[in-house]
Amino acid sequence: MSSDYTHHRWSHLKKILERSGPFCRPDFEPSSNTLPFLMEKCKILVIGAGGLGCELLKNLGLMGFHQIHVIDMDTIELSNLNRIPGCNVVAHFCMIQDKDESFYRQFHIIVCGLDSIVARRWINGMLLSLLVYEDGELDQESIIPMVDGGTEGFKGNSRVILPGLTACIECTLDLYPPQVTYPLCTIANTPRLPEHCIEYVKVIQWPKENPFDCIIDGDDPLHINWIYEKSIERSIQFGIRGLTYRLVQGVVKNIIPAVASTNATIAATCATEVFKLATSCCASLNNYMVLNNLDGIYTYTYEAEKKSDCLACSEIPREIELIDGNIKLKEFIDLLCQRHDLQMKNPGLTVANVDGKNKTLYMQTVPSIEEKTRVNLGKSLTELGLTDGMEINVADITTPNTITLKLKFKNTDIEMA
Ligand SMILES: [Zn+2]
């Protein structure tokens, strides 16, 4: 590879790395060692190998990054694949949750090309948990920068997150609209859209008829075909037009339409930010770039602010204000899922008992515990012994860490009575 350094292929990078300029950061030192560092030492993790992730891999390879790991739970679509000579890419075919702290700690920078908000939140929580504080001071060495790209059709965004220093994913959670779901009553009784018919077959008809004796596999054409035929029947019954095989695929797999040029633009800005972070050759994006190509081409950049009471990066327990303790545990859990600033998925709740031991209020993810704690769902918080000011520990798939919520009852009189 050493002949590679002298190769004209890298001459443009060398112009940036081996001489100074007006846009360089004050701590930048021109050096012929930087390119070898990028190629041999600097370890980058790319999360997601879809349209965005694959574009990122190619860009990073061409920017001199040759020690790249990529993690995805899906296999790569052939149409997304680019090949870069000389690049050492290690693939991890698993969920990000399958890897632990020691895996993530080995990287210099993490880049996300994900379509899942839950996965983004989880990796955000993981990077925050890697931070080391000494006497309340953040150890800068423990920060692993995260560059996050996202696209949806003609829209996209790129952002740079320095965990512990700048706004994290949870700080700006309200930027993500809750995922589209259709009310069950509409799906069952008054369908108006082809999507309603598909959802009906997916949510109600499939479990009832269980045609293939398994859960739906969005990649199995037999499954999609079955859903397609049943959805057509239903759409005819209700006089709904526009139901296509592609739409069935889209709804079942929750596919966000991809526009190659949006992916290319966002991947390019993300790769540039990784390059800037790794080399200090230029100031980083501060810190959120929006791209909107729906009507013409529009972009702007602003500084997303760190939230002083962020659940993930502030270490301050979030207060949950309730009228009193009469709310049922089931309603309380629904609240955690619906609130814009929490958007939890399957929260498991525990509380520290008077004797210091942890008591599980409800846990959905472990079947045996779910069965044991299901009875609590119908009980009120007061009946469960929870009072104003108490702290509840919450585990959720959106984060590898336990979150603390503090109960605040507006009306404490009733609870005393
Ligand atoms: Zn935060």
Side-chain angles (χ1 to χ4, degrees):
M1 211 194 314
S2 58
S3 65
D4 236 10
Y5 301 139
T6 48
H7 200 275
H8 72 272
R9 180 176 163 190
W10 307 109
S11 60
H12 300 288
L13 287 183
K14 285 179 169 184
K15 280 176 191 150
I16 295 171
L17 298 175
E18 296 181 10
R19 53 190 204 189
S20 200
F23 299 112
C24 294
R25 273 172 36 171
D27 58 338
F28 175 72
E29 276 179 36
S31 164
S32 57
N33 293 329
T34 314
L35 189 57
F37 165 74
L38 295 187
M39 289 181 160
E40 289 160 17
K41 298 260 162 53
C42 189
K43 267 174 120 172
I44 308 290
L45 175 65
V46 176
I47 303 182
L52 193 53
C54 286
E55 187 77 15
L56 265 168
L57 289 171
K58 180 257 293 170
N59 289 354
L60 291 169
L62 293 174
M63 295 285 276
F65 295 98
H66 282 183
Q67 307 303 324
I68 303 177
H69 288 232
V70 56
I71 184 166
D72 199 306
M73 56 189 281
D74 262 329
T75 43
I76 296 173
E77 295 279 340
L78 210 59
S79 61
N80 279 336
L81 211 55
N82 300 291
R83 285 159 208 277
I84 311 292
C87 203
N88 176 23
V89 180
V90 182
H92 303 273
F93 180 31
C94 62
M95 289 175 45
I96 54 168
Q97 290 86 349
D98 295 341
K99 298 287 183 188
D100 62 7
E101 290 185 358
S102 60
F103 173 79
Y104 290 106
R105 197 176 282 127
Q106 66 178 305
F107 297 103
H108 289 88
I109 301 167
I110 290 180
V111 208
C112 300
L114 285 162
D115 56 8
S116 155
I117 295 164
V118 170
R120 265 196 193 88
R121 294 173 69 184
W122 192 90
I123 189 68
N124 179 66
M126 170 55 79
L127 296 185
L128 285 165
S129 73
L130 295 181
L131 296 178
V132 176
Y133 288 87
E134 270 171 46
D135 305 324
E137 284 285 309
L138 177 59
D139 177 2
Q140 305 275 328
E141 295 277 298
S142 66
I143 299 172
I144 299 176
M146 168 170 160
V147 179
D148 179 42
T151 64
E152 193 175 89
F154 287 98
K155 294 192 268 185
N157 70 274
S158 306
R159 62 191 295 187
V160 173
I161 295 172
L162 303 175
L165 291 181
T166 64
C168 79
I169 297 282
E170 300 284 327
C171 286
T172 55
L173 196 58
D174 44 8
L175 289 177
Y176 304 109
Q179 230 152 37
V180 181
T181 52
Y182 303 103
L184 202 63
C185 55
T186 307
I187 297 170
N189 305 318
T190 52
R192 284 169 282 108
L193 301 170
E195 287 88 343
H196 293 156
C197 302
I198 302 164
E199 278 290 322
Y200 178 83
V201 176
K202 183 181 148 189
V203 178
I204 296 169
Q205 226 167 329
W206 183 284
K208 208 190 270 177
E209 301 187 20
N210 202 4
F212 297 94
D213 215 18
C214 61
I215 56 162
I216 298 171
D217 176 358
D219 291 319
D220 188 333
L222 284 175
H223 290 195
I224 297 291
N225 237 330
W226 190 89
I227 298 170
Y228 173 63
E229 279 167 16
K230 296 288 174 185
S231 308
I232 284 281
E233 280 174 26
R234 190 164 169 83
S235 70
I236 292 170
Q237 190 189 335
F238 285 91
I240 296 165
R241 289 158 176 269
L243 200 144
T244 61
Y245 188 85
R246 272 188 83 89
L247 185 68
V248 172
Q249 274 183 314
V251 172
V252 170
K253 291 185 76 179
N254 221 340
I255 293 174
I256 297 166
V259 173
S261 55
T262 314
N263 278 342
T265 315
I266 294 301
T269 53
C270 287
T272 307
E273 289 310 314
V274 174
F275 184 79
K276 291 198 279 187
L277 284 164
T279 63
S280 299
C281 70
C282 187
S284 289
L285 173 74
N286 187 25
N287 50 32
Y288 200 114
M289 187 209 79
V290 177
L291 173 76
N292 189 338
N293 290 353
L294 265 183
D295 305 300
I297 298 174
Y298 173 73
T299 180
Y300 76 103
T301 299
Y302 71 100
E303 183 180 352
E305 282 182 30
K306 199 165 180 284
K307 217 168 161 181
S308 59
D309 66 340
C310 171
L311 265 181
C313 70
S314 78
E315 314 209 336
I316 297 171
R318 172 74 53 89
E319 271 194 350
I320 299 288
E321 204 173 82
L322 301 164
I323 296 169
D324 52 43
N326 286 328
I327 182 172
K328 300 254 191 300
L329 187 64
K330 169 85 179 77
E331 294 161 354
F332 181 71
I333 290 172
D334 287 346
L335 185 74
L336 301 185
C337 298
Q338 285 158 8
R339 266 178 62 149
H340 250 232
D341 59 337
L342 300 173
Q343 298 186 39
M344 293 185 173
K345 302 295 166 191
N346 56 356
L349 278 59
T350 58
V351 66
N353 253 347
V354 241
D355 56 9
K357 275 188 196 152
N358 256 357
K359 174 187 167 185
T360 304
L361 298 171
Y362 183 69
M363 193 153 293
Q364 197 194 326
T365 45
V366 185
S368 60
I369 303 179
E370 197 281 331
E371 213 182 307
K372 255 183 244 167
T373 54
R374 200 182 298 156
V375 60
N376 288 345
L377 288 175
K379 292 183 185 166
S380 72
L381 299 192
T382 305
E383 284 169 328
L384 290 163
L386 299 169
T387 54
D388 181 46
M390 262 177 105
E391 290 184 352
I392 298 180
N393 300 315
V394 186
D396 192 57
I397 50 162
T398 53
T399 170
N401 313 310
T402 304
I403 285 160
T404 309
L405 299 175
K406 192 173 179 182
L407 290 176
K408 181 165 171 53
F409 296 160
K410 271 194 256 183
N411 193 347
T412 45
D413 299 343
I414 293 177
E415 190 229 330
M416 310 261 264

